[in-house]
Amino acid sequence: MLRKVRGGGALQPVPTLVSILRGLVGGTLGILLLMYLTRWTGTPWVMAPFGATCVLLFALPNSPLAQPRSVIGGHLLSSFIGLLFINLLGESILSVSLAVGCSIAAMQAFRVIHAPAGADPIVVILSGIYGFDFLLSPVLIGSVALVLVGVVVNNIGKDLRWPEYWFGAKPARITIKDEIM
């Protein structure tokens, strides 16, 4: 058992200065846009998990977790599940726990895995949000806004291309052997 947890893999490569600046600029502009839209409209367009979304979008833009399908779909699906659980089971430890577990399973099943979205049910239930209008604002509008900032920031430079795919990408084939290994 101890051999499995001792590590030994290589540390991620040192990021370039351009990559670090892209993270700084992208994260700043993404959250700044949402904060200004919140102030301008009086409607919340930002939620805490969007900060973690910025990490993926601007520090690891080629990750499957940072693609528009996962960002938008993951936040929508997980927030919907959080709303479903709070409306059916109320605000409880069990409700939060089940909602997070179901969100992870649903994101896997729908191929929209986005790690920050795992926090969405927690936000919904612990904040006592019962209205499904939360799915429009901040969830949909906020995640789309961050993706649009990603389109601009992640394509600055001649050799850059983002996203890898949008919504209609062909799924990779996984065999049972791959799943067991």
Side-chain angles (χ1 to χ4, degrees), residues 146-158:
L146 289 177
V147 164
L148 293 176
V149 173
V151 167
V152 173
V153 172
N154 289 331
N155 284 301
I156 295 173
K158 67 177 185 166

Side-chain angles (χ1 to χ4, degrees), residues 125-147:
I125 296 169
L126 294 183
S127 299
I129 298 167
Y130 284 84
F132 283 85
D133 56 335
F134 183 78
L135 293 176
L136 177 61
S137 178
V139 178
L140 179 61
I141 294 171
S143 58
V144 168
L146 289 177
V147 164

Side-chain angles (χ1 to χ4, degrees), residues 32-82:
L32 185 66
L33 172 64
L34 295 180
M35 294 300 290
Y36 272 117
L37 289 171
T38 296
R39 180 173 282 171
W40 182 55
T41 63
T43 304
W45 289 37
V46 69
M47 58 181 179
F50 284 163
T53 293
C54 288
V55 173
L56 291 175
L57 278 174
F58 305 112
L60 297 168
N62 296 325
S63 165
L65 282 66
Q67 301 308 305
R69 174 189 174 101
S70 294
V71 172
I72 297 166
H75 279 301
L76 276 173
L77 185 58
S78 293
S79 295
F80 174 76
I81 290 170

Side-chain angles (χ1 to χ4, degrees), residues 8-127:
L11 185 62
Q12 61 191 5
V14 176
T16 65
L17 180 58
V18 171
S19 179
I20 292 169
L21 289 174
R22 184 172 297 109
L24 171 68
V25 171
T28 301
L29 290 177
I31 298 302
L32 185 66
L33 172 64
L34 295 180
M35 294 300 290
Y36 272 117
L37 289 171
T38 296
R39 180 173 282 171
W40 182 55
T41 63
T43 304
W45 289 37
V46 69
M47 58 181 179
F50 284 163
T53 293
C54 288
V55 173
L56 291 175
L57 278 174
F58 305 112
L60 297 168
N62 296 325
S63 165
L65 282 66
Q67 301 308 305
R69 174 189 174 101
S70 294
V71 172
I72 297 166
H75 279 301
L76 276 173
L77 185 58
S78 293
S79 295
F80 174 76
I81 290 170
L83 288 164
L84 199 61
F85 273 81
I86 194 170
N87 281 286
L88 293 175
L89 299 178
E91 301 174 39
S92 70
I93 294 171
L94 183 60
S95 180
V96 172
S97 304
L98 282 171
V100 170
C102 288
S103 291
I104 293 168
M107 284 190 288
Q108 288 176 295
F110 285 97
R111 297 185 331 265
V112 293
I113 299 171
H114 184 64
D120 293 353
I122 298 169
V123 169
V124 168
I125 296 169
L126 294 183
S127 299

